[in-house]
Amino acid sequence: QITLKESGPTLVKPTQTLTLTCTFSGFSLSTSGVGVGWIRQPPGKALEWLALIYWDDDKRYSPSLKSRLTITKDTSKNQVVLTMTNMDPVDTATYYCAHSISSSSPHFDYWGQGTLVTVSS
Amino acid sequence: QSALTQPASVSGSPGQSITISCTGTSSDVGSYNLVSWYQQHPGKAPKLMIYEGSKRPSGVSNRFSGSKSGNTASLTISGLQAEDEADYYCCSYAGSSPYVFGTGTKVTVL
């Protein structure tokens, strides 16, 4: 079965760079059409899509955060890494990674449990 | 790319039907039949309920159905049950920046 799990720091200071890792199993990111995305949710607020990487290394970013985000994949390790620069307290949120089965049918069918990142000095 | 607009809350009694709207623009909801819906219980990860506008993943109750008219997508829950009380989010394909989520709707079972 497909599982995903996010890992990274729980606390970062303002202006620092956040690095989150999504480790997955049950699928390969070298399979045609497959993608892994990152979505975040500030406490008590709505979901916000951040970034997505496809099997062919095509990368997509939220226009509002594009300058701060980088998404990469390590197919051999079954990992996707998201970096977000210049962190601010408003970036405090639960960060989820999720599986997308096909670029022609864009939806997230499997989600990780999420990891809460707090930005504070 | 602005968030899709959903009502903040919708409520209904057990057994009733409720509908949650999700309003976008001609650049997202209106251009593609690629809206997905997610259910989120407190403290839990979202769960896919509907994809491609009206398709249900395996294991999702047929009490959940999706539709679209113009720039507005809708999720209908029929035969409302206590376990349906949760937050619901729509999400639409939006072209080159492929995902935009809705503002979220809290469903309360009275």
Side-chain angles (χ1 to χ4, degrees):
Chain A
Q1 78 279 21
I2 290 176
T3 64
L4 305 98
K5 187 172 184 179
E6 307 86 353
S7 60
T10 58
L11 179 67
V12 297
K13 290 180 167 48
T15 76
Q16 287 187 335
T17 293
L18 171 68
T19 299
L20 294 173
T21 300
C22 176
T23 303
F24 56 85
S25 63
F27 69 95
S28 172
L29 203 38
S30 60
T31 300
S32 178
V34 172
V36 171
W38 285 93
I39 303 98
R40 72 177 179 180
Q41 185 174 38
K45 296 189 177 182
L47 300 169
E48 178 184 21
W49 172 72
L50 301 177
L52 179 74
I53 189 165
Y54 290 108
W55 66 284
D56 59 357
D57 211 38
D58 184 14
K59 302 168 186 177
R60 305 298 174 95
Y61 297 100
S62 166
S64 61
L65 293 167
K66 185 175 182 178
S67 63
R68 299 173 53 205
L69 296 174
T70 302
I71 190 170
T72 60
K73 64 180 175 71
D74 187 330
T75 304
S76 65
K77 292 184 178 179
N78 282 351
Q79 291 182 333
V80 171
V81 175
L82 180 76
T83 61
M84 180 180 291
T85 61
N86 194 24
M87 293 293 284
D88 183 272
V90 300
D91 296 314
T92 294
T94 296
Y95 287 76
Y96 296 98
C97 63
H99 169 268
S100 175
I101 192 170
S102 169
S103 56
S104 61
S105 179
H107 60 272
F108 296 113
D109 52 357
Y110 293 91
W111 294 63
Q113 64 188 24
T115 185
L116 176 62
V117 177
T118 301
V119 184
S120 174
S121 55
Chain B
Q1 191 185 46
S2 299
L4 308 176
T5 301
Q6 299 180 231
S9 63
V10 174
S11 62
S13 299
Q16 287 187 330
S17 293
I18 61 169
T19 296
I20 303 167
S21 62
C22 169
T23 301
T25 68
S26 57
S27 297
D28 38 61
V29 176
S31 287
Y32 311 97
N33 199 21
L34 294 173
V35 173
S36 51
W37 288 89
Y38 302 86
Q39 176 192 66
Q40 187 181 35
H41 287 109
K44 300 296 186 181
K47 174 188 176 183
L48 177 68
M49 305 302 285
I50 295 287
Y51 67 100
E52 293 180 15
S54 60
K55 296 180 180 179
R56 278 188 309 276
S58 174
V60 171
S61 170
N62 59 10
R63 297 185 298 103
F64 292 84
S65 61
S67 62
K68 192 191 88 165
S69 178
N71 294 339
T72 299
S74 298
L75 175 71
T76 297
I77 309 175
S78 58
L80 198 62
Q81 299 180 0
E83 67 207 49
D84 301 331
E85 186 161 293
D87 293 327
Y88 291 82
Y89 294 92
C90 61
C91 181
S92 176
Y93 181 71
S96 59
S97 295
Y99 293 91
V100 58
F101 279 94
T103 51
T105 298
K106 181 178 180 58
V107 168
T108 302
V109 181
L110 301 172

